[in-house]
Amino acid sequence: MTRDIDSEREEKLPDGGTAAGDDQVALDPWGSATVADYRKLFEEFGIEEFDELLEEVPDPHYLMRRGVIFGHRDYRRVAEAMRNDEPFAALSGFMPTGDPHIGHKLVFDELIWHQQQGGDTYGLIADLEAHSARGLSWDEIDEHARDYLLSLVALGFDPEEGTLYRQSENRELQDLAFELGSKANFSELENIYGFSGETDVSHMQSVVTQMADICYPQLEEPKPTVIPVGPDQDPHVRLARDLAARMRYFGVTEAYASFELTDAERIHVAAAYQNRESYAEEPERPRCEEAAEWLADVRDATDPVVAGTIDKLDNAGMEPLRPRVRFLDRNATDEAFEALVEAVDGEKRVFEEHVDSFDLSREEAEELSREVEVDHGGYGFVPPSSIYHRFMTGLTGGKMSSSVPASHISLLDDPEEGYDKVKAATTGGRETAEKQRELGGRADECPVYELYAYLLAGDDDEFAKEVYDECVGGERLCGGCKEQAAELMEQFLEEHQEKREEAEELLEDLDMELDSPRK
């Protein structure tokens, strides 16, 4: 549990089982799935807090309500599409390196929920990544891939309404990966992933394939698309957003004069324009050189950004400062650029590599540029969004690992085995029952309580809150709590495996190659 459900108690967020005192944050898609302090992700990587937009999400999933889904990138556009009954998509991939376990169920649930909200939903088997990055044989991949798909369908994914595919069998995906690869280079992959001269080319190629996966739902039409992942996958999301932008025919930005500004410089020029009444001889037509003088008086001119902004304004002399929306030619064909010029209504200025519009809003310009791009053979990608969930703590107290059977519960475990693993799990309880009653349990540090919050309580927030309150209040002792959780886990596994058997027939009917021809 990541927070008190009714928000009356001070929020305390678990650290996913990472050792106390570890203040390092490293996001490695193929490394250790732990994060020492989730708050640092907001500061260091620009991940936004999910709580801030929770009220904008229609009928949020319980993982959202309980703070298990804690962060996002650009998810507002997805929530807006839901509210307005507009097209949106969700996609997640599964690397079949072992049995699916209860940690993977978080992603399954997020994908299924987005499908239930009306999204075009995609589940993929990352078999090329498993083969190149993890060295799995195609026989191993086939065995595990089938298990992932069965659990996904058994948990509620509708394969008739959604799309399932394997990377290795999807030619459209591979063609898109080729195109995206033209916008990436080795230095970039080296900086993001630590690749070196020893890295296999196929491993690097698998990264570009994952970028294509993320953009794949937009091949038929551009639309908001969310990728539910753990925070260790954020490097993939950031690179995909960059590549999606680089594929666009046009960039849209705000400008104030004929010359170009960086984002940092634009902030200073915007301030100069907003304060024009205080310095301009004609406030309705402030001159660039007047704005330069104002900036020199009110800003630190030794700052390189401020100094550069002042130089640009000085060089523009008597040119008026005037807000406009600018269309930048990035990859447009001649025909597409000409079509854009024709499509921009109202007052405009046409330059060799950009078009300035004085009547369109930023949002109108974004929409127009995408329409022209798609009409002339471009992708028009909307920047992909993401949501991030906390890692489940392993039942033994460290990280949950597929290579440590006692740390996790496989969705294929015998129900009795699942029962036994919960009964043997580490807890956040005190040394004695007396201390537990006196001081209360440490639910925020308890792997067993996480089972309730992440899985066993299901959609019942009141039940999850009851367990939490009874624990921290000292009324609930660990023995009884684990017994209840163990029984619920046994029941869940029994029901899930019955549904997996029913899903077998659905899987056989899929237009999808379950056995790789590569072996």
Side-chain angles (χ1 to χ4, degrees):
M1 179 64 167
T2 57
R3 61 183 178 130
D4 184 14
I5 294 170
D6 64 3
S7 300
E8 293 177 358
R9 183 178 289 107
E10 180 181 352
E11 295 183 356
K12 181 179 180 182
L13 305 180
D15 65 4
T18 307
D22 182 0
D23 61 356
Q24 299 299 311
V25 177
L27 300 182
D28 178 1
W30 300 288
S32 174
T34 59
V35 172
D37 187 344
Y38 287 95
R39 290 170 297 181
K40 290 183 182 293
L41 299 176
F42 305 134
E43 302 165 7
E44 297 185 22
F45 298 100
I47 292 174
E48 301 176 75
E49 296 188 49
F50 197 88
D51 271 356
E52 294 178 355
L53 61 73
L54 184 61
E55 292 183 354
E56 301 175 35
V57 181
D59 190 23
H61 192 275
Y62 71 79
L63 294 173
M64 298 174 176
R65 301 195 302 267
R66 296 176 195 163
V68 177
I69 294 173
F70 71 93
H72 73 100
R73 285 193 187 277
D74 205 15
Y75 189 71
R76 277 190 171 83
R77 66 172 78 232
V78 178
E80 182 179 2
M82 285 184 202
R83 294 195 307 271
N84 296 331
D85 198 24
E86 296 172 349
F88 71 94
L91 173 141
S92 196
F94 312 104
M95 187 160 61
T97 56
D99 291 346
H101 57 65
I102 56 174
H104 298 121
K105 183 181 179 292
L106 295 179
V107 181
F108 293 156
D109 286 345
E110 293 169 62
L111 203 59
I112 292 164
W113 179 82
H114 281 93
Q115 184 180 58
Q116 292 169 345
Q117 306 312 303
D120 298 327
T121 313
Y122 297 73
L124 68 102
I125 297 299
D127 55 354
L128 292 178
E129 181 186 3
H131 186 64
S132 62
R134 295 292 177 86
L136 266 71
S137 71
W138 292 104
D139 280 330
E140 291 174 305
I141 289 170
D142 286 350
E143 176 185 352
H144 296 313
R146 185 180 188 86
D147 284 331
Y148 275 81
L149 293 172
L150 279 174
S151 281
L152 177 62
V153 173
L155 287 167
F157 184 89
D158 186 341
E160 294 183 356
E161 293 295 325
T163 300
L164 300 172
Y165 69 87
R166 295 177 63 136
Q167 290 175 327
S168 61
E169 298 300 312
N170 190 326
R171 182 53 191 266
E172 276 190 322
L173 175 80
Q174 294 171 35
D175 288 346
L176 178 57
F178 182 85
E179 297 293 336
L180 292 173
S182 70
K183 301 298 181 183
N185 58 58
F186 175 74
S187 294
E188 186 170 37
L189 300 186
E190 181 181 32
N191 289 334
I192 296 173
Y193 301 110
F195 288 168
S196 68
E198 302 300 314
T199 304
D200 292 343
V201 172
S202 62
H203 191 171
M204 291 185 277
Q205 185 179 3
S206 77
V207 170
V208 182
T209 302
Q210 290 173 78
M211 303 303 101
D213 286 323
I214 292 171
C215 294
Y216 183 70
Q218 300 192 55
L219 273 186
E220 290 188 7
E221 65 168 334
K223 54 182 171 289
T225 300
V226 60
I227 315 299
V229 288
D232 59 326
Q233 301 298 304
D234 185 59
H236 290 328
V237 174
R238 281 181 278 143
L239 178 57
R241 287 173 62 85
D242 286 345
L243 293 181
R246 292 175 209 169
M247 294 296 291
R248 293 294 309 277
Y249 279 9
F250 307 103
V252 176
T253 188
E254 295 171 347
Y256 289 85
S258 60
F259 53 86
E260 293 298 324
L261 294 166
T262 66
D263 290 341
E265 291 169 342
R266 191 175 297 109
I267 293 171
H268 295 297
V269 175
Y273 183 79
Q274 289 167 2
N275 287 276
R276 61 193 181 277
E277 295 280 351
S278 66
Y279 64 79
E281 185 174 335
E282 299 178 71
E284 68 278 6
R285 286 174 62 84
R287 306 293 179 171
C288 288
E289 61 183 22
E290 293 177 314
E293 291 177 9
W294 179 82
L295 277 178
D297 288 338
V298 302
R299 296 284 195 270
D300 178 8
T302 64
D303 181 290
V305 174
V306 175
T309 307
I310 291 172
D311 284 344
K312 289 183 179 181
L313 289 167
D314 266 335
N315 291 336
M318 293 294 288
E319 180 182 351
L321 278 185
R322 189 179 174 197
R324 77 283 307 268
V325 173
R326 176 161 294 163
F327 298 85
L328 299 168
D329 183 353
R330 287 179 174 164
N331 302 295
T333 61
D334 291 342
E335 293 78 8
F337 187 77
E338 291 172 4
L340 177 70
V341 172
E342 181 68 25
V344 176
D345 290 330
E347 185 181 356
K348 59 191 170 189
R349 299 285 186 275
V350 179
F351 300 86
E352 184 176 351
E353 294 184 348
H354 68 263
V355 180
D356 287 354
S357 168
F358 295 91
D359 295 330
L360 292 176
S361 68
R362 176 72 178 268
E363 292 74 19
E364 291 169 335
E366 290 277 8
E367 183 178 352
L368 179 63
S369 70
R370 184 169 284 111
E371 288 176 0
V372 171
E373 177 177 343
V374 172
D375 286 346
H376 288 80
Y379 295 108
F381 290 135
V382 175
S385 306
S386 51
I387 53 176
Y388 302 95
H389 57 256
R390 298 175 184 278
F391 297 118
M392 290 190 75
T393 308
L395 298 178
T396 51
K399 72 170 186 174
M400 186 172 290
S401 171
S402 297
S403 62
V404 182
S407 75
H408 73 275
I409 294 174
S410 166
L411 296 176
L412 311 184
D413 276 347
D414 182 275
E416 292 185 5
E417 184 179 358
Y419 174 94
D420 291 339
K421 284 184 178 181
V422 175
K423 287 286 286 185
T426 301
T427 73
R430 305 291 177 175
E431 295 81 1
T432 66
E434 289 73 18
K435 285 189 176 181
Q436 180 92 350
R437 292 191 180 96
E438 177 187 355
L439 302 174
R442 293 164 291 201
D444 294 293
E445 302 172 18
C446 181
V448 174
Y449 179 69
E450 283 190 13
L451 293 178
Y452 284 101
Y454 288 43
L455 187 158
L456 300 177
D459 201 45
D460 190 345
D461 286 346
E462 286 302 314
F463 176 42
K465 181 180 183 301
E466 176 184 301
V467 175
Y468 186 92
D469 288 346
E470 288 179 356
C471 173
V472 300
E475 303 169 51
R476 176 176 283 252
L477 301 182
C478 294
C481 187
K482 286 206 291 186
E483 174 64 29
Q484 183 181 27
E487 291 175 358
L488 290 171
M489 182 62 70
E490 183 176 24
Q491 179 182 342
F492 164 75
L493 289 173
E494 287 175 352
E495 293 175 354
H496 178 65
Q497 288 166 23
E498 289 175 3
K499 291 176 182 176
R500 278 174 57 90
E501 292 179 7
E502 297 171 5
E504 286 275 5
E505 186 175 343
L506 289 174
L507 210 59
E508 295 299 334
D509 293 338
L510 286 180
D511 184 20
M512 178 181 181
E513 186 61 62
L514 296 175
D515 296 318
S516 173
R518 296 171 180 243
K519 58 188 180 183

